Amino acid sequence: MTELAAAGALPKPKRDILPVLLPVILALAMAPLIGSGSSWVTLTVASLAMGMMIFIMASGLTLVFGLMDVLNFGHGAFIAVGAYVATLVLLPLAPYVQADSLLTNLAVLAPAALLSMAVSGALGLVVERVLILPVYGQHLKQILMTTGGLIVAEQALYALWGPQIIPLPLPTSLRGSFIIGDIAIAKYRLLAMLVGLVVFAGIQLVLNRTKIGLLIRAGVENREMVEALGYRIRRLFLGVFMVGSGLAGLGGVMWALYREQVHASMGNDLTVLVFIVVIIGGLGSIGGCFIGALLVAMVANYGGFLVPKLALVSNILLMVAILMWRPRGLYAVTSR
Amino acid sequence: MTDLLSLAGVHTHVGRYHILQGIDFGVAEGQTTMLLGRNGAGKTSTLRTIMGLWQASAGQISLDGQRIERSATPDIARLGVGYVPESMAVFSDLSVKENLVLAARDGPLDDARLDWIFGFFPALRRFWLSRAGALSGGQKQMLSIARAIVEPRKLLLIDEPTKGLAPAIVVALIECLAEIKRRGATILMVEQNFHAAQELGDTVLVMDNGKIVHRGEMALLALDVALQERLLGLSLETHQ
Ligand SMILES: Nc1ncnc2c1ncn2[C@@H]1O[C@H](COP(=O)(O)OP(=O)(O)O)[C@@H](O)[C@H]1O
Ligand SMILES: [Mg+2]
């Protein structure tokens, strides 16, 4: 037994912080190019806010893939459904949305967001049981089923709400900016950042401090072994799928308010975006997803400012660059 | 002596491969049964089939009188089976502690039992909060075994625990398994290291090409060098 004791000191676990530094480096590198300090602050805040919203939308997708290898090309449907459901609350209660009181605004915004999450989460339950359960382990069929699901959802939204764009004005107290010197910081962007941070912290807390979270992390690495320890991973997966769908719904509400409009095509558009984020981050990694979302948003904002023509391809370029550096994404999840 | 585990006419197909071709054997309660055989004989497949990770295409598997060949892996585990896979399968992103917290599914970690485990594997105490991925191969094997015994289990399935480990660690591991055995555990263990098999085994099964080709007392096989060579061939010399 002495040999075991003499096994020597453990190599200090290397924390891979390079990806974490990436957004910081990018932001600092952009400062001289952008020139004006106030523009840089505005763009950086816009990037952070947009990044947080994208993270909220993408977080469920990365865990769903990490845990069960499920490719859900219909994730955007939960985003769009979330946005539409919010209009059910926010449009009839427009007077409260227009009232110039933060408390009144939040009193309608919060239930709208919760309802959206609940409906998207419930839809997640149905989708998992009906579309995904029958095609576990078959990627091609998953892509076909979920892409089909997205088309059906989009058409259903058109049928229910019509093809027109629905305006969704920001609540009055969230309009405008805080002005500090010559720097303007949009209030809604601050709120979006705050919500994004809360969601990120919440996910980290669950993943690191609860047994369910440990099971999710263990399952992402080796689901067979989680089952061999006696845990029913399918049930765990269903829970993750529902929470991920609910978060996508929340992201949808936030995105719709950010754009101040709702349209059924947003599901489709955002599916591409969140997939890029999830791939950049490393399929299955929440931390990678967070950084990936920030990077995508930064490239969109800084890039849009500096080289507007690049906007259409900037995400793809970013993805290619990251994958050339790290072929499995920023944080490759082990044993996959 | 009653059999805690028994297999009767078990076949396993993986894709279009017919891997287990009619396996019959019993594992007596309180005994250590060694499963030997050359690479590719089907030893790992046998453990995987018992564990439900691959579903038997024919035959019966009973654990403690209950049929399990159609059961899902988590249900089989919950009947009291601890599994130490060939790959060890520690959760490298989790700490040593977190690995054991998950393995203790019936409640919080039991301190007395942990002390007992730390007695064999002091390294686990030392690296309690370290990432399991940073452990050495031997330490990962210790963690994998600790996971299987962190709560009392009826049956332990252990796949090649000494594989790839330094000789000094192998000696310590054999001591530990012998102690687990003295505590009355029922073990079905795959082992290529004949020395380890001889130290620990009560009975022995030898597999080849997906079938059991020999069964008997471990002590008798240990004495019969000619039989060893016939059954196990070169694998003995290379793994001595
Ligand atoms: N995933 C798999 N798919 C197809 N064949 C497999 C797979 N795993 C193992 N086999 C085959 O099954 C046979 C038995 O393998 P295994 O049980 O791992 O043998 P052992 O553990 O005795 O070395 C081998 O011929 C091997 O090639
Ligand atoms: Mg094997």
Side-chain angles (χ1 to χ4, degrees):
Chain A
M1 220 95 348
T2 45
E3 290 88 346
L4 298 186
L10 204 59
K12 226 180 162 47
K14 267 187 259 150
R15 278 210 162 260
D16 180 12
I17 59 161
L18 225 52
V20 179
L21 294 178
L22 218 51
V24 180
I25 294 170
L26 187 62
L28 294 179
M30 285 302 136
L33 293 177
I34 289 164
S36 140
S38 62
S39 304
W40 180 80
V41 172
T42 304
L43 288 171
T44 304
V45 170
S47 303
L48 293 179
M50 185 178 168
M52 299 286 185
M53 285 188 269
I54 298 173
F55 166 73
I56 291 175
M57 292 188 262
S59 55
L61 189 64
T62 200
L63 284 182
V64 159
F65 183 85
L67 198 55
M68 292 302 273
D69 245 341
V70 166
L71 284 171
N72 178 13
F73 275 50
H75 194 67
F78 303 120
I79 299 173
V81 166
Y84 273 93
V85 168
T87 66
L88 290 179
V89 177
L90 295 178
L91 295 182
L93 296 178
Y96 297 94
V97 176
Q98 281 148 23
D100 193 8
S101 146
L102 182 60
L103 227 56
T104 313
N105 291 165
L106 290 181
V108 285
L109 216 49
L114 289 176
L115 182 68
S116 294
M117 289 173 76
V119 172
S120 292
L123 183 64
L125 172 73
V126 176
V127 167
E128 202 273 343
R129 293 286 105 167
V130 175
L131 293 186
I132 293 182
L133 190 62
V135 292
Y136 266 132
Q138 302 162 276
H139 278 163
L140 185 61
K141 288 189 182 169
Q142 285 165 6
I143 294 172
L144 293 175
M145 288 289 249
T146 55
T147 306
L150 179 61
I151 295 170
V152 170
E154 195 172 321
Q155 293 307 317
L157 291 173
Y158 281 131
L160 288 170
W161 271 276
Q164 73 284 6
I165 291 175
I166 303 175
L168 186 67
L170 256 183
T172 307
S173 61
L174 295 176
R175 299 179 162 278
S177 306
F178 294 112
I179 311 286
I180 308 159
D182 61 347
I183 297 172
I185 298 177
K187 291 177 187 172
Y188 183 66
R189 286 178 180 161
L190 277 186
L191 178 72
M193 276 164 60
L194 197 71
V195 175
L197 282 178
V198 168
V199 169
F200 180 62
I203 292 178
Q204 291 293 359
L205 212 65
V206 169
L207 286 182
N208 292 304
R209 295 273 180 275
T210 69
K211 196 156 178 178
I212 298 261
L214 291 185
L215 281 174
I216 294 171
R217 284 165 59 208
V220 165
E221 190 176 333
N222 188 339
R223 63 175 176 269
E224 257 187 5
M225 195 61 216
V226 170
E227 296 200 289
L229 289 177
Y231 299 97
R232 294 179 184 87
I233 204 156
R234 294 253 167 128
R235 234 184 258 175
L236 184 68
F237 174 74
L238 177 61
V240 169
F241 197 89
M242 289 176 65
V243 170
S245 308
L247 285 174
L250 173 65
V253 181
M254 295 171 67
W255 191 261
L257 284 167
Y258 176 62
R259 289 293 170 88
E260 299 198 73
Q261 64 177 42
V262 175
H263 192 250
S265 65
M266 68 189 282
N268 217 332
D269 302 343
L270 287 166
T271 295
V272 178
L273 193 68
V274 293
F275 254 95
I276 291 176
V277 165
V278 165
I279 291 169
I280 287 177
L283 292 156
S285 160
I286 278 289
C289 175
F290 187 72
I291 297 168
L294 291 182
L295 289 176
V296 162
M298 284 180 160
V299 167
N301 281 284
Y302 296 134
F305 180 83
L306 293 170
V307 210
K309 277 187 185 153
L310 228 59
L312 278 177
V313 289
S314 60
N315 288 328
I316 303 287
L317 290 181
L318 175 68
M319 181 167 77
V320 170
I322 297 276
L323 294 185
M324 277 165 67
W325 176 43
R326 293 196 169 177
R328 304 203 306 161
L330 293 174
Y331 288 113
V333 171
T334 34
S335 87
R336 190 175 290 288
Chain B
M1 211 160 342
T2 54
D3 284 346
L4 180 64
L5 174 77
S6 65
L7 284 76
V10 171
H11 289 255
T12 299
H13 288 78
V14 176
R16 51 196 178 80
Y17 299 99
H18 190 180
I19 293 180
L20 298 188
Q21 308 183 357
I23 302 277
D24 304 88
F25 68 81
V27 172
E29 184 147 18
Q31 297 236 321
T32 296
T33 302
M34 282 293 158
L35 191 54
L36 310 184
R38 51 191 115 214
N39 275 329
K43 307 180 296 294
T44 297
S45 304
T46 302
L47 297 194
R48 286 181 63 84
T49 303
I50 296 168
M51 208 59 218
L53 293 166
W54 282 339
Q55 186 135 79
S57 42
Q60 301 176 4
I61 307 175
S62 314
L63 177 70
D64 215 2
Q66 203 167 334
R67 294 278 293 273
I68 58 168
E69 74 272 4
R70 293 271 160 259
S71 302
T73 300
D75 300 326
I76 294 169
R78 277 169 189 273
L79 289 175
V81 185
Y83 180 45
V84 181
E86 196 171 5
S87 62
M88 304 184 267
V90 300
F91 303 121
S92 59
D93 192 38
L94 273 53
S95 67
V96 169
K97 177 185 175 186
E98 289 168 336
N99 268 273
L100 292 176
V101 164
L102 287 190
R105 69 173 171 262
D106 298 332
L109 290 170
D110 177 66
D111 284 334
R113 199 157 173 103
L114 274 185
D115 280 337
W116 175 63
I117 291 172
F118 289 153
F120 312 130
F121 304 141
L124 296 185
R125 190 205 296 273
R126 199 141 38 97
F127 301 132
W128 189 231
L129 296 177
S130 305
R131 271 183 79 244
L135 298 173
S136 71
Q139 290 161 349
K140 281 182 184 152
Q141 190 59 267
M142 293 169 205
L143 177 55
S144 189
I145 293 172
R147 250 184 351 195
I149 60 173
V150 70
E151 286 174 334
R153 302 282 179 239
K154 277 185 204 157
L155 172 69
L156 298 176
L157 305 178
I158 307 178
D159 200 345
E160 292 203 45
T162 65
K163 192 170 96 177
L165 301 188
I169 308 233
V170 169
V171 171
L173 207 59
I174 293 174
E175 261 181 65
C176 155
L177 292 168
E179 166 66 18
I180 294 171
K181 192 184 147 177
R182 275 195 291 279
R183 286 241 179 162
T186 306
I187 303 175
L188 174 60
M189 183 163 142
V190 173
E191 189 49 81
Q192 293 273 29
N193 179 323
F194 194 76
H195 171 68
Q198 195 179 338
E199 291 277 319
L200 295 165
D202 298 308
T203 51
V204 61
L205 303 162
V206 180
M207 287 190 78
D208 202 17
N209 283 326
K211 298 192 176 87
I212 304 282
V213 293
H214 171 85
R215 64 190 78 217
E217 300 279 312
M218 187 71 228
L220 292 181
L221 180 61
L223 291 174
D224 192 340
V225 176
L227 186 61
Q228 284 172 31
E229 274 184 11
R230 184 167 67 75
L231 291 171
L232 302 164
L234 286 176
S235 70
L236 271 189
E237 286 156 46
T238 49
H239 288 275
Q240 197 63 284

